[in-house]
Amino acid sequence: MLKVDLFNQLYYNIYRTIIQRQEGIKMEKTVIELFAGVGGFRCGLNNVELKNDKVIENGNWNFVWANQWEPSTKSQEAYDCYIKRFGEKDASNLDIFQVDKKKVPKHSLLCGGFPCQDYSVAKSRSKSHGIEGKKGVLWWAIIDTIKAKKTPFLFLENVDRLLVSPAKQRGRDFGIILRSLHDLGYAVQWRVINAGEYSEPQKRRRTYIFAYHKSTNYYKSLKGIAASEIIYNKGVFNEFKTTEIEQEFNVINISKDYYKDLTDVSDKFKFEFYNSGVMVDGKIYTSKLKPVDNPIKSLRSIREKGTVDEKYFLSKEKLKSFEYLKGGKKIPRVKPNGDPYTYAEGSMPFPDNLDAPARTMLTSESGTSRMTHVIEDMKTKNLRLLTPKECERINGFPDNWTDTGMSDKRRYFMMGNALVVGIVARIGKAIESIIENEN
């Protein structure tokens, strides 16, 4: 197995060297976007504007391919929105597992907001006794792509609970991700970022992951630099300023010296990941960071100023429903075994505080639920739901980005699934500088 790994590493390094030296070819700022949704990565990396329904890309990234497929519905509104805005020339609407990864265009950066799933793996029953992951888990589509295309850089996003799942074996899922990248020759940096703490109008916590191959100049430039120095001063997330160390490092080694393969990681690995960290040569360093105080961008700042359609305002019945849902309550309930207990939940601000960022927006934003935002209308002072345009603003998309023929309910859904564009833009600037230094 060791000989195979060394051969693969040697092959990769030779491959990269030949490609870069051929006729003075430089590493281009080319991108593919997996699980593209309505184009959050592209909007962020290229500082996209929408003027008179025309898309203007102000950035330097060339998006050479994108894939978006929603398996749970016949309609493909996210894909339809993507091609409405960016065109369908380089876009794919196939199940990613049906895509021939060898035919994916060459690229220097792979982006993807992949979902948090059960990443457990096991020994294959085939004669080769290889490793297989759960079917349909989209992480393995990323792995298949970088194996086929020798991708030098990855920029990924996931929910913050990725670092603690599953509950019965905390840290296992992220451990599987890190080990699978380590096996392919990557180092990794990550940071959990609450967008509302960095002057975005939404308290949305997400895990951002940047991976870079050993063959890159960037990897070599960090060789020998202490993990703490990478996390606090030299890493890709340095733009997001933090205070001094809040907690000492937690350290573990996930290489083959400690876990023989992915199955071993899946069965045995358990670890407390903090909100930032780095993995180099299989050694994981993680630390808890606290952001410095930044200016607040409030819900008030993105509120529509003009006349809002009456359909977004609360009827008397809806108002009563929201008052109950958002109020404190104690409800007698019975466990499956027949034992009684009391379900309790505290009250929450009603209506939402306009002088704070929005809470995390969910895909159910259009419904009558405890987590739906209710705000005071600027013009009438009456209570109403957020409009789809306000939801786009909360995530940093151009106004009316998802106004492409889908219903309001689906527009809310898209924004509940979307990236915070401003965070992607800030990380993207650091990645752009890194790729420029590859030449």
Side-chain angles (χ1 to χ4, degrees):
M1 181 65 73
L2 181 59
K3 290 182 179 179
V4 172
D5 292 338
L6 289 173
F7 175 80
N8 287 338
Q9 180 63 47
L10 180 62
Y11 168 77
Y12 192 104
N13 289 335
I14 294 172
Y15 171 89
R16 294 272 295 113
T17 301
I18 291 173
I19 290 299
Q20 288 186 341
R21 290 181 178 176
Q22 277 179 348
E23 300 178 2
I25 292 176
K26 294 182 178 181
M27 182 180 287
E28 303 292 340
K29 296 170 189 172
T30 48
V31 192
I32 68 167
E33 189 173 8
L34 302 186
F35 331 118
V38 296
F41 274 107
R42 190 163 181 173
C43 284
L45 291 176
N46 272 346
N47 187 23
V48 169
E49 297 179 82
L50 188 63
K51 293 184 177 180
N52 299 320
D53 213 35
K54 181 180 179 181
V55 171
I56 301 171
E57 296 191 68
N58 299 299
N60 301 312
W61 296 92
N62 179 16
F63 278 73
V64 296
W65 191 74
N67 177 267
Q68 168 57 33
W69 167 257
E70 177 54 59
S72 61
T73 177
K74 290 182 179 180
S75 59
Q76 298 289 320
E77 286 105 332
Y79 175 77
D80 292 341
C81 178
Y82 193 97
I83 63 172
K84 166 72 174 178
R85 298 308 182 199
F86 297 119
E88 59 184 324
K89 178 183 175 183
D90 301 311
S92 164
N93 187 219
L94 291 175
D95 181 342
I96 189 62
F97 292 106
Q98 303 303 316
V99 172
D100 183 349
K101 308 304 187 296
K102 292 181 181 179
K103 293 183 179 179
V104 172
K106 176 188 169 186
H107 55 278
S108 56
L109 180 66
L110 182 153
C111 295
F114 64 108
C116 187
Q117 297 171 281
D118 183 349
Y119 300 97
S120 59
V121 297
K123 288 287 186 183
S124 172
R125 294 180 180 179
S126 68
K127 292 181 180 180
S128 62
H129 301 295
I131 302 295
E132 64 176 16
K134 286 203 167 192
K135 304 303 180 189
V137 174
L138 298 177
W139 171 250
W140 307 117
I142 295 175
I143 292 296
D144 290 344
T145 304
I146 63 179
K147 281 181 178 178
K149 305 307 299 183
K150 310 294 186 290
T151 307
F153 296 102
L154 314 177
F155 178 20
L156 308 170
E157 181 257 13
N158 205 294
V159 296
D160 60 333
R161 72 174 181 275
L162 172 67
L163 302 185
V164 299
S165 62
K168 293 182 179 180
Q169 194 182 340
R170 289 170 66 94
R172 182 205 69 186
D173 288 351
F174 194 46
I176 291 171
I177 287 171
L178 292 179
R179 174 54 185 270
S180 59
L181 288 172
H182 168 66
D183 286 346
L184 293 177
Y186 290 87
V188 179
Q189 298 171 29
W190 75 87
R191 178 77 63 86
V192 177
I193 297 172
N194 183 335
E197 294 176 336
Y198 290 95
S199 304
E200 296 292 336
Q202 182 182 188
K203 300 173 184 176
R204 196 176 187 90
R205 288 170 52 89
R206 288 295 184 268
T207 302
Y208 295 89
I209 302 166
F210 179 61
Y212 43 104
H213 197 268
K214 288 182 178 181
S215 61
T216 62
N217 292 338
Y218 181 68
Y219 177 90
K220 295 167 187 173
S221 73
L222 295 178
K223 193 75 173 176
I225 295 178
S228 57
E229 185 69 5
I230 296 174
I231 293 172
Y232 299 119
N233 298 310
K234 300 290 186 180
V236 75
F237 302 110
N238 189 47
E239 162 71 16
F240 300 91
K241 301 301 181 184
T242 59
T243 60
E244 295 180 359
I245 298 174
E246 185 176 281
Q247 188 163 340
E248 292 298 324
F249 277 106
N250 205 358
V251 181
I252 195 170
N253 198 314
I254 202 169
S255 70
K256 292 179 180 177
D257 293 335
Y258 296 84
Y259 298 89
K260 62 181 181 180
D261 55 23
L262 275 176
T263 304
D264 207 23
V265 174
S266 185
D267 292 342
K268 302 175 183 177
F269 184 83
K270 187 176 182 181
F271 183 65
E272 184 175 5
F273 287 102
Y274 299 138
N275 62 2
S276 67
V278 60
M279 179 193 71
V280 181
D281 294 330
K283 196 170 185 179
I284 297 168
Y285 308 81
T286 182
S287 184
K288 188 180 293 184
L289 302 186
K290 183 178 180 181
V292 298
D293 291 333
N294 291 292
I296 293 294
K297 189 168 185 181
S298 68
L299 191 51
R300 186 186 302 276
S301 70
I302 59 88
R303 188 174 53 164
E304 291 201 50
K305 297 178 180 179
T307 300
V308 172
D309 195 304
E310 291 184 3
K311 66 183 179 180
Y312 300 111
F313 287 85
L314 302 186
S315 64
K316 290 182 179 180
E317 292 75 16
K318 280 286 183 70
L319 181 59
K320 288 181 180 179
S321 295
F322 276 115
E323 286 174 341
Y324 170 76
L325 289 167
K326 293 176 179 286
K329 56 186 72 70
K330 293 183 178 181
I331 306 171
R333 290 185 177 174
V334 179
K335 296 179 181 179
N337 65 2
D339 292 342
Y341 73 101
T342 300
Y343 170 78
E345 60 184 11
S347 61
M348 57 191 302
F350 181 71
D352 281 276
N353 181 5
L354 289 170
D355 294 317
R359 292 172 287 101
T360 300
M361 187 164 46
L362 305 179
T363 56
S364 59
E365 184 65 41
S366 65
T368 306
S369 75
R370 180 175 169 86
M371 299 309 298
T372 297
H373 289 80
V374 175
I375 64 170
E376 180 185 272
D377 182 66
M378 184 175 183
K379 191 171 183 180
T380 67
K381 307 303 180 185
N382 294 325
L383 297 186
R384 62 171 175 82
L385 305 177
L386 294 173
T387 65
K389 185 186 293 186
E390 288 167 335
C391 291
E392 291 164 342
R393 292 175 179 177
I394 284 172
N395 275 329
F397 283 84
D399 284 359
N400 300 313
W401 185 256
T402 57
D403 187 11
T404 55
M406 70 181 84
S407 67
D408 278 0
K409 184 176 182 179
R410 294 299 291 173
R411 292 180 70 185
Y412 286 120
F413 182 89
M414 298 303 162
M415 287 299 102
N417 265 340
L419 298 157
V420 177
V421 169
I423 300 297
V424 171
R426 291 169 69 172
I427 299 171
K429 287 180 181 178
I431 299 175
E432 187 170 359
S433 297
I434 288 168
I435 290 182
E436 287 172 353
N437 288 328
E438 288 297 306
N439 300 308

